[in-house]
Amino acid sequence: MIRVGIGYDIHRLGAGSFCQIGGVAIPHERGLIGYSDGDPLLHAICDALLGAAGLGDMGRYFPEGDIKWKGVASLVLLTEVGKMLVRRQFHVVNIDAVVIAERPRIAPHVDAMKEGISRSLSIDPAGINIKATTNEKIGFIGREEGIAAQAVCIIEHDSIHH
């Protein structure tokens, strides 16, 4: 059984000296605000994977207000989502994601992002694609008030191989 999931996340920019995106701390004059580390790329990927498996969304497992998840690195959350998939006998076929931001530049950090994501999910980095685009200075993102991300994934149930 092959399943597809989609995820979306957005976080405001505020005080800080870096943006946590894809598990990588990218130097920037402002940071992302969130209950965990505010990483929109990893949150979008988590939601895509959970959705593909029919498991709802991040809020079900990592609710805002639960002190256990306050300030946690989103790579930890992604690892937990990966474990949920494994317990249900799913494996990740591929992930395709896009970060929408005017700044900072994402491209120089893509390889490091892919490496962290692949480690968290125990998958080959070749199955992960990350790209970036701007919002052409339009709206919330264009005014550099926040950063968003979208992700699509394909997962496969291990029974397909038996």
Side-chain angles (χ1 to χ4, degrees):
M1 165 178 34
I2 295 174
R3 302 187 63 172
V4 176
I6 186 169
Y8 173 83
D9 195 46
I10 190 166
H11 284 275
R12 291 184 178 277
L13 284 162
S17 58
F18 67 91
C19 289
Q20 192 72 26
I21 303 173
V24 176
I26 302 172
H28 191 56
E29 60 269 11
R30 296 187 333 204
L32 288 159
I33 300 168
Y35 193 74
S36 62
D37 61 6
D39 189 322
L41 176 58
L42 294 185
H43 296 176
I45 291 170
C46 284
D47 270 347
L49 294 168
L50 289 167
L55 297 174
D57 62 24
M58 287 184 68
R60 176 184 286 180
Y61 305 98
F62 315 111
E64 192 168 312
D66 184 337
I67 196 68
K68 179 179 181 180
W69 307 116
K70 176 76 173 145
V72 71
S74 292
L75 283 171
V76 170
L77 303 179
L78 184 62
T79 300
E80 290 300 313
V81 169
K83 290 176 184 176
M84 290 178 211
L85 295 180
V86 168
R87 282 194 297 273
R88 287 160 181 85
Q89 297 182 302
F90 284 107
H91 70 269
V92 178
V93 176
N94 81 307
I95 296 167
D96 187 27
V98 60
V99 177
I100 307 125
E102 298 300 317
R103 295 183 307 120
R105 287 192 36 77
I106 303 304
H109 307 282
V110 165
D111 288 341
M113 292 175 187
K114 288 172 61 170
E115 200 56 46
I117 293 165
S118 71
R119 273 194 314 274
S120 290
L121 295 173
S122 299
I123 63 172
D124 187 337
I128 303 165
N129 188 59
I130 300 168
K131 44 200 181 293
T133 189
T134 68
N135 220 41
E136 297 294 328
K137 304 217 181 286
I138 299 167
F140 178 85
I141 295 168
R143 290 188 302 270
E144 297 186 39
E145 295 173 17
I147 294 175
Q150 295 178 329
V152 176
C153 71
I154 295 175
I155 63 172
E156 187 174 54
H157 197 269
D158 289 335
S159 64
I160 201 164
H161 297 294
H162 297 103

